[in-house]
Amino acid sequence: MKVITFGEPLLRFTTEAEKRLHQVDQLAFYFGGAEANLAVSLANFGHEVEFVSAIPPNSLGSACRKYLKANSVKTNFLREQGSRLGTYYVEAGIGNRQANVTYDRAYSSFHLVDESIFDWDQIFLDVDHFHTTGITLALSDKLREITLVAMQKAKEKGISVSFDFNYRAKLWSQSEARDAIQKVLPYVDVAFCNQLDAIHFLDIEESKSEKHEDKLKEYYQNIVEKYPNISALSSTKRAVHSSNKHELEGYFYDKQQLVKSKSYVIDPVVDRIGGGDAYAAAILHGWLNQWPLTDTVDFATASSVLKHTIKGDSNAFTELEVKSYLSLLDQEISR
Amino acid sequence: MKVITFGEPLLRFTTEAEKRLHQVDQLAFYFGGAEANLAVSLANFGHEVEFVSAIPPNSLGSACRKYLKANSVKTNFLREQGSRLGTYYVEAGIGNRQANVTYDRAYSSFHLVDESIFDWDQIFLDVDHFHTTGITLALSDKLREITLVAMQKAKEKGISVSFDFNYRAKLWSQSEARDAIQKVLPYVDVAFCNQLDAIHFLDIEESKSEKHEDKLKEYYQNIVEKYPNISALSSTKRAVHSSNKHELEGYFYDKQQLVKSKSYVIDPVVDRIGGGDAYAAAILHGWLNQWPLTDTVDFATASSVLKHTIKGDSNAFTELEVKSYLSLLDQEISR
Amino acid sequence: MKVITFGEPLLRFTTEAEKRLHQVDQLAFYFGGAEANLAVSLANFGHEVEFVSAIPPNSLGSACRKYLKANSVKTNFLREQGSRLGTYYVEAGIGNRQANVTYDRAYSSFHLVDESIFDWDQIFLDVDHFHTTGITLALSDKLREITLVAMQKAKEKGISVSFDFNYRAKLWSQSEARDAIQKVLPYVDVAFCNQLDAIHFLDIEESKSEKHEDKLKEYYQNIVEKYPNISALSSTKRAVHSSNKHELEGYFYDKQQLVKSKSYVIDPVVDRIGGGDAYAAAILHGWLNQWPLTDTVDFATASSVLKHTIKGDSNAFTELEVKSYLSLLDQEISR
Amino acid sequence: MKVITFGEPLLRFTTEAEKRLHQVDQLAFYFGGAEANLAVSLANFGHEVEFVSAIPPNSLGSACRKYLKANSVKTNFLREQGSRLGTYYVEAGIGNRQANVTYDRAYSSFHLVDESIFDWDQIFLDVDHFHTTGITLALSDKLREITLVAMQKAKEKGISVSFDFNYRAKLWSQSEARDAIQKVLPYVDVAFCNQLDAIHFLDIEESKSEKHEDKLKEYYQNIVEKYPNISALSSTKRAVHSSNKHELEGYFYDKQQLVKSKSYVIDPVVDRIGGGDAYAAAILHGWLNQWPLTDTVDFATASSVLKHTIKGDSNAFTELEVKSYLSLLDQEISR
Amino acid sequence: MKVITFGEPLLRFTTEAEKRLHQVDQLAFYFGGAEANLAVSLANFGHEVEFVSAIPPNSLGSACRKYLKANSVKTNFLREQGSRLGTYYVEAGIGNRQANVTYDRAYSSFHLVDESIFDWDQIFLDVDHFHTTGITLALSDKLREITLVAMQKAKEKGISVSFDFNYRAKLWSQSEARDAIQKVLPYVDVAFCNQLDAIHFLDIEESKSEKHEDKLKEYYQNIVEKYPNISALSSTKRAVHSSNKHELEGYFYDKQQLVKSKSYVIDPVVDRIGGGDAYAAAILHGWLNQWPLTDTVDFATASSVLKHTIKGDSNAFTELEVKSYLSLLDQEISR
Amino acid sequence: MKVITFGEPLLRFTTEAEKRLHQVDQLAFYFGGAEANLAVSLANFGHEVEFVSAIPPNSLGSACRKYLKANSVKTNFLREQGSRLGTYYVEAGIGNRQANVTYDRAYSSFHLVDESIFDWDQIFLDVDHFHTTGITLALSDKLREITLVAMQKAKEKGISVSFDFNYRAKLWSQSEARDAIQKVLPYVDVAFCNQLDAIHFLDIEESKSEKHEDKLKEYYQNIVEKYPNISALSSTKRAVHSSNKHELEGYFYDKQQLVKSKSYVIDPVVDRIGGGDAYAAAILHGWLNQWPLTDTVDFATASSVLKHTIKGDSNAFTELEVKSYLSLLDQEISR
Ligand SMILES: [Ca+2]
Ligand SMILES: [Ca+2]
Ligand SMILES: [Ca+2]
Ligand SMILES: [Ca+2]
Ligand SMILES: [Ca+2]
Ligand SMILES: [Ca+2]
Ligand SMILES: [Ca+2]
Ligand SMILES: [Ca+2]
Ligand SMILES: [Ca+2]
Ligand SMILES: [Ca+2]
Ligand SMILES: [Ca+2]
Ligand SMILES: [Ca+2]
Ligand code: NI
Ligand code: NI
Ligand code: NI
Ligand code: NI
Ligand code: NI
Ligand code: NI
Ligand code: NI
Ligand code: NI
Ligand code: NI
Ligand code: NI
Ligand code: NI
Ligand code: NI
Ligand code: NI
Ligand code: NI
Ligand code: NI
Ligand code: NI
Ligand code: NI
Ligand code: NI
């Protein structure tokens, strides 16, 4: 299938985990950003994917484009304008010490786009699916308008739409987010939304259930009542035992049932950045292929777990590799 | 004592564990191969060891020879011929992600040897022990013949012989292996052989016992009935909790009793390659020195555990270092 | 324009220049091969390029494909079969010490292809130009046949053809090369051929002129008499003062005149591998665009010089970057 | 406050943990030494700190001085004399393998100082606190005298004094240590002293209590009876599960009560060297600021835990960073 | 003497010279900026130096402060505000290939300062000299005003002032620069100004002399006529043979005579960034110490040459080291 | 032939050339020492070589032994005693900047040997040649005696002796050296001695000739008159254009004639340390094999030039490699 993702590419600089920033004199760098990561994952799963965005016409922009192409993501609508890539610095955490993130992403090329540079009729030619996240909405009023227009066009053309709440407190307030998110939700088919998102942005009351699953199902039922256009909802539950040891579960809801994946202990966590995008991409892959609910959530959680074992923001695994990881686990259980 | 090992040297390229192969632009390399690894370990334990094999007359062959010499292994019978070293690529695994191995070992210098290049009378001058493995048998019909001849000569000269089954499914079928192994076993004094080996290659029926030890003892008793020339049998039991966390035990049998080592949790596993060879070398070291059975199996398992904590295929520890590790463990227990 | 290149991808391992192979424990690696390098250069100059070849279905093949894609080369006809990439090891030279090259390229996936895997009618759809080199001819009888067929098909379809003699003494004898080259030349429009090539493979007598230019012109006139289909001939002249200091000139002939580029001192030479392919690609770029002869040879030589300043086999410069380097030189001269 | 620390700077060379010393061709290096480490920590906590010592007048001495300055430690009394820095080599341990330390610290610049080079009246101008350790006492008779004089001067001037037993069996015998320590203790306000120290150096009988806390309290009560000038005593309890996994608790006593910190599992231990100095510095920080006992011991243990997560000998965390780590832990508990 | 420098700290990321930006996955970084570099040099020469500026209150700002402290530069007036350090990316050049610089320095902490944050009466306490450059003037109107006020205050307090034209076309136009520079020059004692600066910013007619020295002397005479307050002028002449081979001379004028240094061939140029600041710092060092004119210009040029042999923006040599380099050269000449 | 070399092994730490010591946090290390380097070279040329010395019984000593073994040098008389290896630090120079060396070699294991540990009768069994240098004499009175005894024993047994003056001003005075050298010279067959050595240590008057060759011949004639036992003398002449560009010539004298090698420009000089030992080893190789004088001096100078192109103290080239370098040069000249 042909998929469009829309959002900001980011340049990440990162220390090696065993030193603080002031102890080093070089930094590894990776390209990422939620929507770019999802694009790479879906391309690895065999889809034709375009990443729609803006980069500066300089050597960093050009390196970013090469990264996307190497990962089979098309860049025909990656406009060149402005003067910088959004950047952030990660002092990697380890064991008892948390990572320390320093943002330097204001004034980026994508940040400053206006509507004139994206011709959605052209972009949406022969397209099956459109994806974006709350981060894109957060960046500017202009980007909120552009996204809304894009979603409306998508629906008109019969293109399905997915949306990941991805709330970033450093980018906008909860009330700004609430307004913007409620405006786009009527055009969404698949939403990635966790418990706090439901409470903060959709005015749903806190559940009184005990178990995570019961609460989440309650919230999701509420959401699909408000937005009957939404046909699927998903999220993960993560427990952080240390910077290097997490526990992860996936949840997927289709209006009929809420299914839950196997629970994975991830030890060590090599790089958690992009773990959520790897999950979302894999959920979409199952949804677009109309896989059974359980298969999809298992595939997505395994996909995210594998992402945690490599450095870099995006998932470097094919459908075959994720599935062979899953079947390996099955064998171990059945022994 | 003077020991001969006979087999193929291998060139291993390996990624750093936190990235996939396509993410890197350089690879670490190590020299290894089961019989070369065992030679290095025995040299570290103070034996005079010759590694008999073939390498190409080029800079890679020469680097391989330097590696062996640096580790006190003699290379007087390391013939130069052919054009390549057997090579393999390891995309190192970590945590939830398994290692991924790509072989490129066909057409190697050793692969293509014929009988004319090894003069066993000269090689076996003043020799006490001869060791090889199933990998050598697997490489060619010619090598099967050469090995059989070498073992026969060894027995004639009163040289003891050890053999590690080391079955590699990528090199030959089970039925080919069965034929070849059954031909060499009548000349063997010490065999490294696990439960599956017994079942697949020696036509022994699957045991009905529950416990690992009981089963293994049953198999070993069966083997020494068939091959009364065999005076000792050994193997390890490994549980893989994740790519980084294994559990290891050693077992050693001398026709009278089966002894078992302490069980070790290895966390992290730095490099498991060569762990089995480190174990076999240490068992041989105890056997050649006629150490008590329990001392030998403890020494061997500790030796293998230490190997797992360093990069590279061969064991870089002296007898003194392994023993001081063992005594350290004793103290901890006795506190 | 749309261009097809056809040949073997190579995996190169290389030391850092200041140590010998046995002094290091890791090696940098690059993907290359004459026809792949030319593909990357032409893609950097804005052409649509397909690299037609075969790679093994393993992680090394897959990394090779990603490398090509990252450089905008299409890989739709990069077949997966066989088990290995052609490999070679470069102990980099420096100053008074020459590089030392160890080949390990036999039995590669491309080496072993047969005609069935390439459907030239499909490959040549909408294609403007086809390029290959003498290396492809050298690899097997089968590849000689396949190449001849491809060239004939190209001519039938009005596709122009270029051929780089690229004689490698380690791959075949001069007499084998002579036969094969003389068979393909009648289908060639642009040939990369130096003085020795003319003498060894085209049975042209050694010139009695003094100057390089006069000799070369004589040879080229002879060639176009024999092969009137050839419309352009080109080569470079390189003086090697030390491993780090070369001098380079380009020559280009179009049946009317032989033009010569500015002479460049390259100091230091970072990596000479691929320098010839960078030159050939740039000559083709000028020829395909019908640039004036002098512009083309200047552009090509500058392009090759820039290649010498970066590590890796292929030219990482755009037309704009090469031209801005040329204009910088002009300014310096005019001051 | 203004603090003086007095002792030997050390140069540490260290392998990467995954290889043995003979496998590598480069070593990371760090500057350390117990009293220098404590100086860096206190400077990070906002104190004005002078490190009083001697370094050689060469490029290593100069790099050492730059390291201290970069960490805001003053070096006005860092004398230049002699010819070498005390040096040691750490073959880093990992998992089941212990670190292996090789000392090369004899004949250092500090080792060879005599009394003439330190003018304590000038050094102690406007100073609030003086710190040193048993290592300084161990280095020479001269240094024992110098230290004793310095402590006496400190007391005369109303400067508080702390002393860390820090017994090193490689530097002196228990009986030498006993004599020297008993001579300085009458001038000490805060002592870092564990159970074995109390038994070996202060002739206190082994306790019959069961629990670590009861024993320690008994020893500390005994000590303050003997040395009523001591107003506070502290130590940690460390359990070593593997080279990478430790468990750590802090204990602090003020004549009235013995308080105990939360217990921390440290996994992985990146670098344990300097962990004790990080603890002592933080205890002093609390004591100098007259923080409540419990706050101090929690702050100190957290401080030491964080040190274990970075490479290098000294603690690179500010008071704010340690406190935010503590409050993070509180949140986790209260959830 | 006590010196104040005032300007923007910069964060530089740089590739290794032998690869283009898109070929690497990590970058070395250095702290620099003309006024910070000069501060470090003067501190290395033994002066007490404060660097007055603004940095963001984050881990990058803090690493920048540590860098300055390690180099003995005081940071008491390094204000924390805003959110970013000015940043730039250098794709290092080599041989025939030029460096390629990408700026990302807008919106920095220093860029956005207003007058309220610098209290010049406090800053100038006991100060002997004040230095800034045209870059500071270029950053904002506010910074032009602040600088003018600072210079006026300096003159009132009898503090000498130096100014380096340092024109950056990417930051402002020539006419903006002309206005601002002409406003500050009446307060300047020492100016770093080359021929083009004189022509572009001081409306001096192009000279008709042939020789560099004659021209420069003419311009400098013109300048001191216009600005009799200026007591010394200096500049370098650089010939760029390749990215790795430069030729450098220094010129210094004191109203009476123009002296010229020895001419140096710099081969290889390791890092040219900061070479001009190293020169200016050394000229100031001689001027402040009232060294003979010739000694000063020789010292300054040698100082700059040494800077070109190390990576990083600032000069890491002491007065003694520069002088011993000079005396070494003398010996060579006298042999 | 079987050769003994006798002297101190050294541990060298070295920066990468482009940074000063205080800018780095890791150092490369190499094993060297004049007599060890010569041993490695001769082993590479095919001789059986023993290096007689002392190392500490620790992990550094053990790594040093492995290095020698890897290079085919025997270590049967490498005694383990004392506590340290002689160490030195090289801040590598580049271009206009000289290297900066910091010694830390006092109190080494070899330094402190006494006569009891070397049994020369055993060491000299079946030996053909003995080599040592002035450095060994410089280390202690004891070592002077031991060396003298060893040389006397060698002569008694018909073993030829070579001696390299190798004067190090940091180790002893000229007058001490004069006494010691004059004592050993009567036992020497081949001496490495340059003009200044002749003047300073052998009381030969400064020559009045103009040309280097004439002077040297005069000195050498004088020496063989004084010491008729000496049958050959050799030295090099080195011009240092920059840290990276040297010019080197070799001179060899056999009582009849003084021959001179081709002159080599070495650009770049990767590592000059050990260049002299590489030369001496190759001269000895020619002398022991009774090669013609001219062949020997050409071989030796080429050997030394190649050493300058690799990092590390010892020559890593075989006789074949040096000769193929020489024949390559011949071809270039004859073209
Ligand atoms: Ca790690
Ligand atoms: Ca990462
Ligand atoms: Ca890389
Ligand atoms: Ca690790
Ligand atoms: Ca390994
Ligand atoms: Ca270089
Ligand atoms: Ca390269
Ligand atoms: Ca290495
Ligand atoms: Ca460390
Ligand atoms: Ca630099
Ligand atoms: Ca570093
Ligand atoms: Ca070196
Ligand atoms: Ni790492
Ligand atoms: Ni790393
Ligand atoms: Ni790394
Ligand atoms: Ni690592
Ligand atoms: Ni690593
Ligand atoms: Ni390099
Ligand atoms: Ni490098
Ligand atoms: Ni490198
Ligand atoms: Ni690491
Ligand atoms: Ni590492
Ligand atoms: Ni590493
Ligand atoms: Ni590292
Ligand atoms: Ni470099
Ligand atoms: Ni490098
Ligand atoms: Ni380098
Ligand atoms: Ni480097
Ligand atoms: Ni390097
Ligand atoms: Ni390096």
Side-chain angles (χ1 to χ4, degrees), chain B residues 25 27 29 59 84 102 104, chain C residues 25 27 29 59 84 102 104:
Chain B
D25 52 19
L27 293 168
F29 68 94
S59 57
R84 65 185 312 254
T102 302
D104 182 16
Chain C
D25 53 17
L27 294 168
F29 67 94
S59 57
R84 66 184 312 256
T102 302
D104 182 17

Side-chain angles (χ1 to χ4, degrees), chain A residues 25 27 29 59 84 102 104, chain E residues 25 27 29 59 84 102 104:
Chain A
D25 52 18
L27 293 168
F29 67 93
S59 58
R84 66 184 311 255
T102 302
D104 182 17
Chain E
D25 53 18
L27 293 168
F29 67 95
S59 57
R84 67 184 310 256
T102 303
D104 183 15

Side-chain angles (χ1 to χ4, degrees), chain E residues 16-179:
Chain E
E16 44 176 321
E18 295 157 350
K19 290 191 174 177
R20 302 207 67 188
L21 182 63
H22 71 265
Q23 293 181 294
V24 302
D25 53 18
Q26 58 183 20
L27 293 168
F29 67 95
Y30 304 95
F31 294 105
E35 301 84 0
N37 294 343
L38 191 129
V40 170
S41 271
L42 284 179
N44 273 327
F45 293 152
H47 298 274
E48 184 185 346
V49 190
E50 281 279 355
F51 177 53
V52 176
S53 189
I55 54 172
N58 62 28
S59 57
L60 291 162
S62 152
C64 178
R65 186 188 294 275
K66 268 189 204 272
Y67 159 78
L68 290 162
K69 280 185 169 176
N71 288 284
S72 301
V73 173
K74 298 196 165 178
T75 63
N76 298 311
F77 301 102
L78 197 53
R79 301 299 180 204
E80 300 194 0
Q81 64 163 41
S83 65
R84 67 184 310 256
L85 284 176
T87 303
Y88 67 115
Y89 297 86
V90 178
E91 190 182 74
I94 189 165
N96 310 65
R97 177 166 51 85
Q98 284 199 299
N100 183 8
V101 178
T102 303
Y103 283 97
D104 183 15
R105 64 187 285 182
Y107 311 105
S108 72
S109 291
F110 182 69
H111 219 113
L112 305 174
V113 299
D114 66 28
E115 60 267 44
S116 65
I117 69 161
F118 301 119
D119 175 348
W120 293 104
D121 288 323
Q122 201 193 344
I123 292 169
F124 281 152
L125 222 66
D126 288 324
V127 161
D128 298 288
H129 190 80
F130 176 72
H131 176 84
T132 194
T133 81
I135 296 167
T136 302
L137 300 182
L139 296 176
S140 74
D141 285 353
K142 196 64 88 185
L143 277 161
R144 268 168 243 175
E145 286 167 36
I146 295 173
T147 305
L148 194 59
V149 166
M151 285 195 180
Q152 288 165 340
K153 286 247 175 189
K155 295 320 295 179
E156 282 167 20
K157 291 168 192 283
I159 295 169
S160 58
V161 172
S162 54
F163 177 76
D164 187 339
F165 279 52
N166 250 339
Y167 178 67
R168 295 285 184 271
K170 294 199 177 176
L171 295 178
W172 55 349
S173 69
Q174 287 194 13
S175 74
E176 282 175 302
R178 187 185 304 109
D179 288 355

Side-chain angles (χ1 to χ4, degrees), chain D residues 6-303:
Chain D
F6 178 57
E8 182 173 40
L10 287 173
L11 172 60
R12 163 161 65 124
F13 284 103
T14 204
T15 57
E16 44 175 321
E18 296 157 350
K19 292 192 173 174
R20 303 207 66 190
L21 183 62
H22 70 264
Q23 294 181 294
V24 302
D25 53 18
Q26 57 183 22
L27 294 167
F29 67 95
Y30 304 94
F31 294 105
E35 301 85 0
N37 294 343
L38 191 130
V40 170
S41 271
L42 285 179
N44 273 327
F45 293 153
H47 298 275
E48 185 184 346
V49 190
E50 280 279 356
F51 177 53
V52 175
S53 189
I55 54 173
N58 62 27
S59 58
L60 291 161
S62 151
C64 177
R65 186 187 294 277
K66 269 188 205 272
Y67 160 77
L68 290 162
K69 279 185 169 177
N71 287 285
S72 300
V73 173
K74 297 195 168 178
T75 62
N76 298 310
F77 301 102
L78 196 53
R79 300 302 179 204
E80 300 195 359
Q81 65 164 40
S83 66
R84 66 184 311 255
L85 284 177
T87 305
Y88 67 116
Y89 297 85
V90 179
E91 190 182 74
I94 189 165
N96 309 65
R97 177 167 50 86
Q98 282 199 301
N100 182 9
V101 178
T102 302
Y103 283 98
D104 182 17
R105 63 187 286 183
Y107 311 104
S108 72
S109 291
F110 183 68
H111 220 110
L112 303 174
V113 298
D114 67 26
E115 62 269 43
S116 65
I117 69 163
F118 302 118
D119 175 347
W120 292 106
D121 288 322
Q122 201 193 345
I123 293 169
F124 281 152
L125 222 67
D126 287 325
V127 161
D128 298 287
H129 189 80
F130 176 71
H131 176 84
T132 193
T133 80
I135 295 167
T136 301
L137 300 182
L139 295 176
S140 73
D141 285 353
K142 196 64 88 185
L143 277 161
R144 268 167 243 175
E145 287 167 36
I146 295 173
T147 306
L148 193 61
V149 167
M151 284 196 180
Q152 289 165 339
K153 287 247 174 190
K155 296 320 297 180
E156 284 167 21
K157 290 168 193 284
I159 295 169
S160 56
V161 172
S162 53
F163 177 76
D164 188 338
F165 278 51
N166 250 339
Y167 178 66
R168 295 285 184 273
K170 296 200 177 176
L171 294 178
W172 56 349
S173 69
Q174 286 194 14
S175 74
E176 283 176 299
R178 187 184 305 108
D179 288 355
I181 289 171
Q182 294 190 2
K183 270 195 198 122
V184 301
L185 272 195
Y187 304 96
V188 168
D189 300 279
V190 183
F192 298 94
C193 164
N194 61 33
Q195 293 194 30
L196 287 178
D197 292 336
I199 297 167
H200 292 156
F201 307 119
L202 302 183
D203 309 306
I204 294 172
E205 245 172 78
E206 211 161 323
S207 160
K208 269 125 194 169
S209 301
E210 285 280 299
K211 285 179 60 186
H212 182 83
E213 280 161 86
D214 297 338
K215 286 194 214 172
L216 191 65
K217 197 167 180 183
E218 209 176 307
Y219 294 128
Y220 281 178
Q221 281 165 343
N222 262 309
I223 293 173
V224 297
E225 271 164 37
K226 290 195 177 196
Y227 301 97
N229 55 293
I230 295 180
S231 68
L233 282 153
S234 186
S235 59
T236 58
K237 186 179 145 211
R238 178 190 299 266
V240 175
H241 301 304
S242 87
S243 290
N244 283 76
K245 187 173 174 184
H246 294 186
E247 208 165 340
L248 191 77
E249 287 163 5
Y251 293 86
F252 191 24
Y253 173 79
D254 74 346
K255 294 189 160 172
Q256 268 124 27
Q257 48 173 333
L258 179 79
V259 296
K260 176 182 168 181
S261 77
K262 173 176 178 312
S263 176
Y264 292 82
V265 174
I266 313 179
D267 181 9
V269 171
V270 171
D271 190 0
R272 67 170 285 176
I273 294 178
D277 307 320
Y279 177 81
I283 287 285
L284 281 183
H285 184 54
W287 186 81
L288 289 167
N289 286 326
Q290 299 180 280
W291 289 356
L293 223 57
T294 318
D295 289 9
T296 301
V297 80
D298 278 344
F299 179 81
T301 313
S303 212

Side-chain angles (χ1 to χ4, degrees), chain A residues 303-322:
Chain A
S303 211
S304 182
V305 165
L306 286 175
K307 161 60 204 73
H308 285 76
T309 70
I310 56 166
K311 286 185 175 172
D313 299 54
S314 61
N315 206 17
F317 298 88
T318 61
E319 182 184 316
L320 190 66
E321 288 173 328
V322 178

Side-chain angles (χ1 to χ4, degrees), chain A residues 12 30 271 311-312:
Chain A
R12 163 161 65 124
Y30 304 95
D271 190 0
K311 286 185 175 172

Side-chain angles (χ1 to χ4, degrees), chain C residues 16 18, chain F residues 16 311:
Chain C
E16 44 175 322
E18 296 158 349
Chain F
E16 45 175 321
K311 286 185 176 173

